[in-house]
């Protein structure tokens, strides 16, 4: 949710220092604005950042695209017939007028914040007004079916319905929309998910709990199985895989809904196609079809359709931007059209920054614009931010070829800031997840740019790695291979810089364990499991030791570290080989020329050199206070690292059997042996040479997190369960308040030793006011004792009483009935009296006990 106006703590000394600093704005086409005081930047923002766009002249560039073939059948569909519900008016002009008035009421009634529960009179909520507008447009089409403008207006209203549900959380069950698709189409579309679930279960994957990556692997396995057997159903399974895999794309569920005739977004696409089929000479119809193709992820088709839009109207600005975005997002990138895509995206960047700057300087209550999402809402269009990232990637990968552009770093920062401003204003739907993708991708690219010049930036890289790792762990995006790979690489980079930091190794272990849980059983999964065990063990061994020094031996044994060392060795060898080549004589005066060239390069101002520059499109000084990033807590989200998945036990080994020697973080220079010629050879030790450990080096803190992570890793294979129990016991001693340790340890024992599981649960300290987490453990104790018919166990009655106090007598009624049937009346009386905080002999309970025949 957006922060309230008085959220910040005023620190006038910091404000005074900030206001005196010099600030400049990075400009879209290169360079910066004039440097002025930060306190004066807001009043001169628009004047100092005014940039003349440099659009390409597209006249006759796409003239051949006007003959683009359209394969679409114009028809009145079943869902559209259910929208013909206006019976007292038959004039299309009047119906359209009514629809526009209803849209005005829709905009006025929208909540200021997403997910806010507002009270509306009956049929006067925003979604009611929008639905009535849709009915009016649909009825107007009934009486004037060949008017493409009406089809376009209905499509935009349907798309707005999707946006209202997704961005504002405005959902209302509508009878007409429930019947909209027709039974056959609805059943066919809804069955896709059921078919995918059935295939997953066939291959041992639980669709309700296992991650998306394992589900896709199961469907892929089924496809290859059908292909190998020559079954004709392979094509259908392939289509299911394509449909399901869109959940892992940045488009997410929006891509699925844009193809689904039962969803408002898919219906909007069909109406845009209807409008285009009626009049293919209008750029706006081609544009909306192309835009929806981008949402679907069909970038190649979108490029052709957007080229047709520009063929009819070369000045259509939004078509230019979406064409640039579609070119950049193609599988192989823009290719030879890189410069063209760059120009389109730069033009859009300037447009958005100018609009956002104007909005930021207006009073907050006037910022809302009554613009449909499909009409080009600058503030809420996620594709603008995705376009910025695509633009920055093009610039960062072609720094020597491209000039007169804003730096990639500044564009990534801009995308991050705008996504951060927008994230609290939308509900947690498809757009929210896409904004999270923007943040993750931007920060990952910024980290990559920073890592290219690692020397002197180690502390900043470490801080960014930790925060990016925390951001990935907190996001709502479904786990997929791209996200998990980013998490693992971020943690590997963190460990590479500080290999003796216990917390960094713990984060790496968590990332590797998550990779294991999301991998199909096999060699790769076993590699992840062994690596995470090693990372957790090194993290435990380093607790209480200096956080700087040489990499521990056990860390060097991990595959990713060995691969990293090999790459570094190759670089060193290549550099040594290059230095051995005979030097080329330099003509007289060349040194002076080189010096001049260096001087010119340093003077070119393509962006602010120090710190992050002020970003256009946001309040100039308001975000200065309280904007410091907070170091993420070391404690992970509850249960974040454990998602049970079926794994093969074969090949799993107990790493605890290895000797612990070599895992210590020793200072460099500890070897007393004299140097030999062989020791001068290029090897991993020379690459990772570390300075002696200073006497005041910070020590790694002791924590239960690495022990808990190692216990979870060891619990994945049956032969290492005893060792896992040892580490779980250590966690219970170090942090008795951690419920996960009790639950996970007891689950290992439930089948083989139920009473042992009860003993584990019973170790939980009972506090004065138990929580619902405590109640879960109390309930497990009761369930296991009752299942084993241990009615005389001294732990049964106290836990029944605790459960009754937390959850109510109704929750334990079935257990009391079982005890009653076993003639355990004294125990029943003890429980009822304890729940009511009374003595068993209390006269107030005597009548009830007599009624129950307990006395």
């Amino acid at each position: 949710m957006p922060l309230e106006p008085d959220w910040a703590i005023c620190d006038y000394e910091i404000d005074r220092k900030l206001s005196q600093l010099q600030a400049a704005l990075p400009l879209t086409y290169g360079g910066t604005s004039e440097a002025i005081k930060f306190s004066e930047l807001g009043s001169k923002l628009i004047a100092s950042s005014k940039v003349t766009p440099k659009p390409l002249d597209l006249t006759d560039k796409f003239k051949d695209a006007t003959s683009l073939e359209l394969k679409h059948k114009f028809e009145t569909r079943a869902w559209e017939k259910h929208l013909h519900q206006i019976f007292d008016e038959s004039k299309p002009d009047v119906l359209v007028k009514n629809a526009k008035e209803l849209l005005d009421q829709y905009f006025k009634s929208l909540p200021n914040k997403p997910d806010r529960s507002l009270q509306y009179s009956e049929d006067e909520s925003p979604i009611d007004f929008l639905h009535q507008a849709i009915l009016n447009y649909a009825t107007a089409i009934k009486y004037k079916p060949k008017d493409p403008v009406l089809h376009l207006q209905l499509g935009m209203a349907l798309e707005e319905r999707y946006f209202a549900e997704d961005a504002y959380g405005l959902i209302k069950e509508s009878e007409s929309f429930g019947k909209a698709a027709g039974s056959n189409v609805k059943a066919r579309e809804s069955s896709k998910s059921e078919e995918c679930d059935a295939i997953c279960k066939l291959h041992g994957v639980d669709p309700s709990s296992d991650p998306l990556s394992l589900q896709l692997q199961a469907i892929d396995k089924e496809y290859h199985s059908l292909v190998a057997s020559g079954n004709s159903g392979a094509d259908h399974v392939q289509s299911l895989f394509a449909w399901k895999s869109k959940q892992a794309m940045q488009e997410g569920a929006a891509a699925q809904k844009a193809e689904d005739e039962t969803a408002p977004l898919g219906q909007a696409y069909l109406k845009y196609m209807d409008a285009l089929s009626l009049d293919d000479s209008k750029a706006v119809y081609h544009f909306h079809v192309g835009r929806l193709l981008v949402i679907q992820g069909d970038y190649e088709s979108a490029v052709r359709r957007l080229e047709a839009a520009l063929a009819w109207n070369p000045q259509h600005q939004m078509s230019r931007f979406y064409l640039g975005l579609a070119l950049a997002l193609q599988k192989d990138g823009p290719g030879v059209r890189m410069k063209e895509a760059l120009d389109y995206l730069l033009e859009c960047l300037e447009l958005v920054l100018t609009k956002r700057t104007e909005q930021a300087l207006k009073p907050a209550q006037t910022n809302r614009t009554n613009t449909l999402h499909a009409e080009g809402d600058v503030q809420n269009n996620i594709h603008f931010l995705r376009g910025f990232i695509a633009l920055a990637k093009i610039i960062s990968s072609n720094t020597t070829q491209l000039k007169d552009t804003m730096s990639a770093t500044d564009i990534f920062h801009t995308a991050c800031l705008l996504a951060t401003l927008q994230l609290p204003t939308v509900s947690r739907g498809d757009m929210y997840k896409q904004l999270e993708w923007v943040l993750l991708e931007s920060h990952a690219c910024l980290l990559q740019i920073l890592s290219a010049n690692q020397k002197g930036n180690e502390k900043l890289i470490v801080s960014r790695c930790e925060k990016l790792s925390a951001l990935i762990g907190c996001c709502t995006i479904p786990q997929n291979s791209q996200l998990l790979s980013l998490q693992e690489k971020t943690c590997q980079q963190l460990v590479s810089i500080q290999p003796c930091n216990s917390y960094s190794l713990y984060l790496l272990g968590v990332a590797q364990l998550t990779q294991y849980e999301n991998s199909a059983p096999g060699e790769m999964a076993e590699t992840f499991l062994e690596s995470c065990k090693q990372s957790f063990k090194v993290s435990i061994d380093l607790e209480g030791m200096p956080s700087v020094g040489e990499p521990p031996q056990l860390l060097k044994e991990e595959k990713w570290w060995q691969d990293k060392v090999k790459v570094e060795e190759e670089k060193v060898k290549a550099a040594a080989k290059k230095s051995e080549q005979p030097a080329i004589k330099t003509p007289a005066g060349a040194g002076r020329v080189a010096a001049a060239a260096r001087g010119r390069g340093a003077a070119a101002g393509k962006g602010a050199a120090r710190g992050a520059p002020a970003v256009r499109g946001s309040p100039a000084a308001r975000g200065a206070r309280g904007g410091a990033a907070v170091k993420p807590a070391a404690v992970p989200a509850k249960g974040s690292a454990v998602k049970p998945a079926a794994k093969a036990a074969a090949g799993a080994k107990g790493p605890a059997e290895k000797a612990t020697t070599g895992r210590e973080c020793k200072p460099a220079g500890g070897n007393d042996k004299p140097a030999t010629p062989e020791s001068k050879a290029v090897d991993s030790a020379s690459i990772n040479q570390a300075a002696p450990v200073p006497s005041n080096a910070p020590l790694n803190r002791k924590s239960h997190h690495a022990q808990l992570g190692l216990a979870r890793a060891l619990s994945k294979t049956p032969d290492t369960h005893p060792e896992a129990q040892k580490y779980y016991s250590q966690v219970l001693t170090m942090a008795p308040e951690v419920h996960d340790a009790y639950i996970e340890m007891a689950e290992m024992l439930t089948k083989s030793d139920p009473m042992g599981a009860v003993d584990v649960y019973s170790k939980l300290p009972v506090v004065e006011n138990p929580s619902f987490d405590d109640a879960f453990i109390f309930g497990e104790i009761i369930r296991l004792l009752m299942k084993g018919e241990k009615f005389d166990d001294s732990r049964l009655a106290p836990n029944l009483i605790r459960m009754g106090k937390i959850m109510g007598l109704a929750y334990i009624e079935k257990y009391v009935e079982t005890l009653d049937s076993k003639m355990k009346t004294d125990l029943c009386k003890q429980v009822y009296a304890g729940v009511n905080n009374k003595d068993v002999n209390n006269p107030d309970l005597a009548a009830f006990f007599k009624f129950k025949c307990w006395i």
Side-chain angles (χ1 to χ4, degrees):
M1 300 298 289
L3 298 171
E4 299 298 331
D6 57 348
W7 68 274
I9 299 175
C10 295
D11 191 325
Y12 296 105
E13 181 61 24
I14 292 179
D15 282 349
R16 185 186 65 78
K17 291 180 180 179
L18 285 174
S19 63
Q20 299 302 314
L21 294 176
Q22 294 289 307
L25 297 172
L27 302 180
T28 308
Y29 295 98
T32 62
S33 63
E34 180 184 357
I36 56 177
K37 287 184 178 180
F38 187 66
S39 59
E40 301 173 1
L41 190 63
S43 60
K44 300 181 180 180
L45 196 58
I46 293 182
S48 62
S49 62
K50 214 163 197 180
V51 177
T52 303
K54 301 177 181 179
L56 291 175
D57 183 7
L58 302 181
T59 306
D60 297 331
K61 180 175 177 62
F62 302 113
K63 59 182 179 180
D64 295 335
T66 55
S67 58
L68 182 63
E69 183 182 1
L70 178 67
K71 296 180 180 179
H72 175 72
K73 182 180 179 182
F74 176 76
E75 60 181 348
T76 303
R77 300 161 190 87
W79 60 264
E80 192 172 358
K81 292 178 181 177
H82 283 287
L83 298 178
H84 298 162
Q85 294 189 19
I86 306 298
F87 305 108
D88 56 352
E89 183 59 62
S90 59
K91 295 180 179 179
D93 293 343
V94 177
L95 290 165
V96 171
K97 180 181 177 183
N98 293 340
K100 290 181 179 179
E101 292 175 354
L102 288 164
L103 287 177
D104 289 338
Q105 292 178 292
Y106 157 75
F107 287 119
K108 291 177 182 178
S109 60
L110 280 174
N112 293 324
K113 298 178 181 179
D115 294 326
R116 170 168 285 186
S117 299
L118 298 178
Q119 297 296 324
Y120 296 101
S121 301
E122 187 176 359
D123 296 330
E124 292 188 3
S125 69
I127 208 70
D128 287 323
F129 292 129
L130 182 56
H131 180 58
Q132 288 299 317
I134 290 172
L135 297 182
N136 276 271
Y137 280 131
T139 308
I141 292 175
K142 175 184 176 182
Y143 296 107
K144 200 175 181 181
K146 298 296 185 180
D147 188 345
V149 176
L150 294 179
H151 290 277
L152 175 65
Q153 291 172 328
L154 175 58
M156 290 193 293
L158 287 167
E159 187 175 351
E160 186 67 23
R161 175 161 184 133
Y162 160 77
F163 177 74
E165 293 176 354
D166 184 64
Y168 290 101
L170 300 173
I171 300 175
K172 178 181 177 181
E173 294 296 332
S174 173
E175 183 179 355
S176 60
F177 270 76
K179 299 177 181 177
S183 58
N184 292 334
V185 175
K186 188 173 183 179
R188 184 173 63 251
E189 293 297 331
S190 63
S191 67
K192 287 183 179 180
S193 179
E194 296 175 359
E195 287 183 85
C196 291
D197 292 349
I199 293 173
C200 291
K201 291 178 181 178
L202 184 65
H203 292 275
V205 176
D206 186 357
S208 62
S209 60
D210 286 338
L212 178 62
S213 56
L214 287 181
Q215 297 179 44
L216 291 174
Q217 288 174 9
I219 299 173
D220 183 62
K221 188 183 296 184
E222 177 68 12
Y223 167 72
H224 285 93
S225 174
L226 293 175
V227 170
S229 62
N231 195 309
S232 59
D235 292 340
H236 178 63
V237 174
Q238 187 179 31
S239 67
L240 290 176
F241 181 88
W243 179 82
K244 188 73 174 179
S245 63
K246 288 188 177 180
Q247 294 181 13
M249 298 168 58
Q250 290 197 30
E251 290 79 6
Q256 291 180 330
K257 293 174 183 176
E259 296 178 348
D260 186 358
E261 191 177 348
T262 67
L265 191 59
Q267 295 167 357
Y269 173 67
L270 292 175
K271 296 319 296 176
Y272 296 148
M273 291 290 285
D274 287 343
L276 182 60
S277 64
L278 292 171
D279 185 0
D280 64 354
S281 63
K282 293 286 187 354
V284 65
Y285 305 145
H286 289 277
F287 161 69
H288 284 292
V289 171
R291 184 172 56 83
L292 265 291
L293 288 171
V294 170
I295 295 176
Q296 292 178 10
D298 188 358
Y299 304 119
E300 286 74 16
S301 299
V303 167
R304 294 192 295 270
R305 189 56 58 189
L306 292 164
E307 287 175 346
L310 291 171
W312 292 106
N313 183 2
Q315 304 305 317
H316 197 274
Q317 197 169 37
M318 294 300 292
S319 293
R320 297 156 77 100
F321 160 66
Y322 271 95
L323 176 57
L325 178 62
L327 287 170
L329 294 181
Q330 288 181 118
K331 185 177 180 180
D332 299 324
V336 295
R337 301 179 69 177
M338 178 193 66
K339 186 63 172 63
E340 180 186 353
L342 179 79
D343 290 331
Y344 298 147
L345 295 173
L346 278 174
E347 183 182 349
C348 176
L349 175 63
E350 179 57 32
L351 168 69
V352 173
L353 292 182
T354 301
K355 294 289 185 183
R356 293 296 297 251
T357 301
E358 293 172 354
Q359 290 175 356
L361 296 177
K362 291 180 181 178
Q365 61 269 22
T366 62
N367 271 344
R368 173 175 289 172
T369 57
N370 295 347
T371 305
L372 291 172
H373 183 68
E375 292 179 322
D377 185 0
V378 172
Q379 190 165 352
N380 294 307
N381 195 325
I382 184 64
H383 290 110
F384 288 147
L385 301 184
R386 293 192 61 193
F388 296 169
I389 293 178
L391 171 63
K393 285 183 176 180
I394 294 174
I395 294 173
S396 62
S397 59
N398 298 276
T399 53
T400 58
Q401 302 177 29
L402 300 177
K403 298 180 180 179
D404 299 331
T405 66
M406 186 185 292
S407 70
T409 301
D410 289 336
I411 297 175
F412 282 131
H413 277 299
T414 300
C416 284
L417 177 60
L418 296 182
T420 304
L421 292 173
Q422 191 173 344
L423 201 63
T425 67
V426 297
S427 181
R428 294 200 172 191
D430 303 337
M431 181 180 290
Y432 191 92
K433 292 180 176 62
Q434 291 185 57
L435 286 169
E436 288 179 323
W437 269 118
V438 169
L439 281 174
L440 293 176
E441 198 168 4
S442 299
H443 282 296
C445 292
L446 286 169
L447 181 60
Q448 185 178 359
I449 293 173
L450 189 62
S451 301
N453 301 305
Q454 182 171 312
K455 190 174 181 180
N457 293 318
E458 288 84 359
K459 288 186 178 180
L460 181 57
I461 294 174
V462 166
S463 176
R464 290 205 172 175
C465 285
E466 290 178 348
K467 290 174 174 58
L468 179 56
S469 177
L471 189 61
I472 295 172
C474 294
C475 71
T476 63
I477 302 170
Q479 287 187 344
N480 56 72
S481 57
Q482 183 181 355
L483 196 65
L484 297 176
S485 178
L486 175 60
Q487 174 76 304
E488 186 184 20
K489 288 179 180 178
T490 301
C491 295
Q492 287 175 354
Q493 187 171 3
L494 181 61
V495 173
S496 298
I497 295 176
Q498 44 184 26
C500 291
N501 186 284
S502 177
Y503 177 65
S504 300
L505 285 156
Y506 159 72
L507 291 179
L508 176 60
V510 171
Q512 292 166 335
L513 182 59
T514 308
Q515 282 276 38
Y516 165 77
E517 292 171 344
N518 286 268
S519 300
E523 184 179 351
M524 182 63 70
E526 291 178 8
T527 302
F528 283 133
L529 185 59
E530 290 304 316
S531 295
C532 79
K533 290 177 185 177
Q534 290 175 313
S535 297
F536 286 133
K537 284 191 174 186
V538 177
S539 177
I540 294 170
D541 291 340
L542 290 174
E543 290 179 355
M545 299 182 65
S547 59
V548 295
E550 292 183 358
Q553 182 60 35
L554 197 57
L555 175 61
K556 294 179 181 179
E557 295 175 5
E558 293 193 28
K559 184 179 182 301
W560 74 269
W561 183 274
Q562 294 174 353
D563 293 340
K564 179 182 80 72
V565 170
K566 287 180 182 178
V567 172
E568 292 174 346
E569 287 176 351
E570 292 298 327
K571 289 181 180 178
V572 171
K573 290 178 181 179
K577 187 176 180 180
K578 188 176 181 180
S579 63
E580 291 174 359
Q581 295 177 357
I584 302 173
K585 292 185 177 181
T586 306
R592 290 192 298 273
V593 174
R598 285 196 297 273
R600 288 196 299 272
K606 295 295 181 184
R610 297 188 210 129
V615 180
R616 292 168 57 201
S618 64
R622 187 166 54 199
R625 295 195 303 269
V630 181
K631 182 177 180 179
V635 182
K638 182 178 177 183
S640 61
V642 175
K643 289 187 179 178
K647 304 290 175 192
K653 299 180 181 178
E657 298 175 2
K658 297 182 181 179
T660 58
T661 57
R663 282 190 248 130
E664 297 181 359
C665 193
K666 298 180 180 178
N671 190 357
D672 296 331
K673 294 182 180 180
T676 62
E678 289 79 5
S679 65
K680 297 180 181 180
V682 177
D683 58 7
S684 60
S686 64
I687 294 173
N688 295 292
Q689 191 71 27
V693 179
S695 58
N696 60 346
L699 301 180
N700 291 307
R701 294 186 304 167
K702 289 185 176 293
S703 173
H704 70 278
H705 296 122
Q707 277 88 348
L708 181 58
L710 181 56
R712 286 168 170 168
L714 293 169
S715 68
K716 299 301 180 183
T717 50
D719 58 331
T720 55
H721 278 186
E723 193 177 358
Q725 293 175 29
K726 181 186 74 172
Y727 285 102
Y728 275 125
S729 298
Q730 292 180 12
V731 175
L732 299 185
T733 303
M734 298 174 66
E737 73 282 358
V738 178
H739 294 82
D740 288 353
Y742 297 94
I743 296 170
E744 294 163 15
M745 183 177 179
E747 284 178 348
M748 287 194 302
L749 298 170
T750 299
K751 291 183 179 179
S752 60
D753 185 11
M755 292 305 104
V758 173
D759 293 338
V760 172
Y761 283 131
S762 299
K763 293 179 182 179
L764 177 73
V766 180
V767 296
E768 184 177 353
N769 296 311
S771 64
F772 287 109
D773 290 333
D774 295 329
F776 175 82
I777 292 180
F778 300 154
E780 286 297 290
I781 294 174
I782 297 168
R783 182 182 66 82
L784 292 172
L785 290 174
M786 294 294 292
K787 185 177 180 180
E789 298 188 352
K790 305 293 183 180
F791 306 127
D792 297 325
D793 194 297
S794 60
R795 296 169 291 189
L796 182 58
N799 284 287
L800 281 168
I801 293 171
R802 293 169 190 144
M803 180 63 75
K805 287 182 177 180
I806 299 172
M807 307 299 294
L809 282 167
Y811 190 86
I812 62 172
E813 186 66 31
K814 62 178 181 179
Y815 296 123
V816 174
E817 290 177 357
T818 302
L819 293 172
D820 189 11
S821 66
K822 299 295 183 178
M823 304 303 293
K824 299 295 180 181
T825 55
D826 290 341
L827 183 56
C828 294
K829 290 191 293 182
Q830 182 184 352
V831 171
Y832 264 84
V835 172
N836 290 283
N837 295 316
K838 294 182 179 180
D839 188 78
V840 175
N841 299 318
N842 190 295
D844 294 338
L845 295 176
F848 177 74
F849 290 161
K850 285 182 180 180
F851 172 75
K852 300 290 286 186
C853 299
W854 292 345
I855 55 175

